[in-house]
Amino acid sequence: MTEAHRPDSELLARFPDLHPAFDHPSALTEANRCLYCFDAPCTAACPTHIDVPRFIKKIAQGNLRGSALTILDANILGASCSRVCPVDVLCEGACVYHRYNKQPIEIGRLQRYAMDAFLRNRGALERKTSAARAGKVACIGAGPASLSCAAELRQQGFSVTVFERKALPGGLNTYGVAEYKLRSADSLREIEMIRALGVEFRFGEEISAARLAQLENDHDFIFLGVGLGTMHKLSIPGEEHPAVVNALDFIEGYKTNTVLLVGRRVVVIGAGNTAIDAARAARRLGAESVQILYRRDHQHMAAFSFEYEQAREEGVEFRWWTQPVSIHTYGTAISAIECVSTNPAAGNANLPIGGLDFAGQQGADPSARSSHSFRILCDMVIPAIGQSPLLAFLETCRGVKVEHGRVQIDRATGHTAHPKYFAGGDCVNGGREVVDAVADGKRSALALARFLETANV
């Protein structure tokens, strides 16, 4: 693409931690602010129900190993979650200090402080039994849900193998979370704890129907932690241009150092958290102008409000009531993106012109354009309008019920309609937070352990 450039090493330094780590004095000061509530709302607000007052009190007492083990007992990916969780709307959002108009305890940074110390000292996960127990489970996908399920089962002495189609474990933690939130190296370092328990990993595994049948024969149960599939297409003319790169591929490209090219004028389509991650990354990689286009207004965007504010502070512009209908080129390069107004004031509310709208629904014929069309100059387009479910794969899991692209489960156990299958994470919830996937994986593991114990009595 013309007007694109390869950023140098100085630009890569533009990805410092979003929430810098505490030093020792700061961590002690913050830990001693905690009221150690008996019926702690922060614990209730955490999907994995980490005993927040307990782990913070151990920091205050200088027992960092004990603090980390408290976290890990509830959340095996406590290090990752300390960086990527939307604490503003979960644990910190529930802090009692809000009642007194005071700054909430910085729970996320304290959690990171304890976990970083544990990993730095090569801490090992504790086994819940020393005996090898009968029972084999296959986890398909190596994202947070499967990692959580596998770790809990292995801690209880069961045999677990994780099958992953990519070269590295971690799912979006490794490949798809913005670098300023979670570095791939930190994700992989955390997973080494799980591998050290004796969990077996097999990479480069594409699970066909025949391979799935083999796994069913070789294992007592199968856990589906496959996440979601490819990102939705815009379905507009010009989107096959090589300078149109979906947000997850863009983020994976710069995180793995395989693609560091960025346009000077970048347009991101969509207004979820992934769209904002891509937009902020483009700015940090050297884009002079980054605009986010969204077919509705900011009150309807999927992104958290604090993500929106941080993006604005970094110079990302937002254009509301704007929907693309085609991408124009000049020679071999993108020159502009043509859009229409969806502003209700113009009589075009929710106008689904040009194939897919931002909710992923089929729209009207692209030829049915309004007179409110306009062009935005750009040389790179990053669609971020959500991921599609892995329907083709899920159809091979015969007996597993899927509705509206989501695997149907018993919420208390993660059990699917097929007696041999459990599931959790994004393939069940449609795409939520890492901590939700971790909670799903552990919930299924506890149920699986009960099933295996009963079967082997």
Side-chain angles (χ1 to χ4, degrees), residues 355-411:
L356 288 175
D357 67 13
F358 286 4
Q361 303 298 317
Q362 289 295 331
D365 189 309
S367 64
R369 298 180 182 176
S370 81
S371 59
H372 297 82
S373 65
F374 54 93
R375 292 188 181 186
I376 299 171
L377 298 179
C378 63
D379 52 28
M380 185 177 190
V381 176
I382 303 177
I385 56 174
Q387 292 173 262
S388 59
L390 289 166
L391 292 178
F393 169 75
L394 294 175
E395 286 174 0
T396 67
C397 306
R398 300 189 183 280
V400 173
K401 188 176 181 181
V402 179
E403 290 185 1
H404 307 296
R406 301 185 184 189
V407 178
Q408 300 300 295
I409 61 168
D410 177 342
R411 289 303 306 172

Side-chain angles (χ1 to χ4, degrees), residues 328-348:
H328 297 276
T329 58
Y330 182 78
T332 60
I334 288 177
S335 60
I337 185 166
E338 184 173 348
C339 305
V340 294
S341 170
T342 59
N343 194 330
N348 294 320

Side-chain angles (χ1 to χ4, degrees), residues 21-33 59-60 110 113:
F22 273 134
D23 58 22
H24 181 64
S26 300
L28 284 181
T29 299
E30 189 66 10
N32 281 299
R33 285 183 61 226
I59 292 176
L110 286 172
Y113 179 73

Side-chain angles (χ1 to χ4, degrees), residues 192-205:
E192 283 305 308
M193 290 191 308
I194 298 172
R195 191 194 298 269
L197 286 171
V199 174
E200 182 182 357
F201 287 86
R202 296 187 185 176
F203 301 107
E205 286 266 1

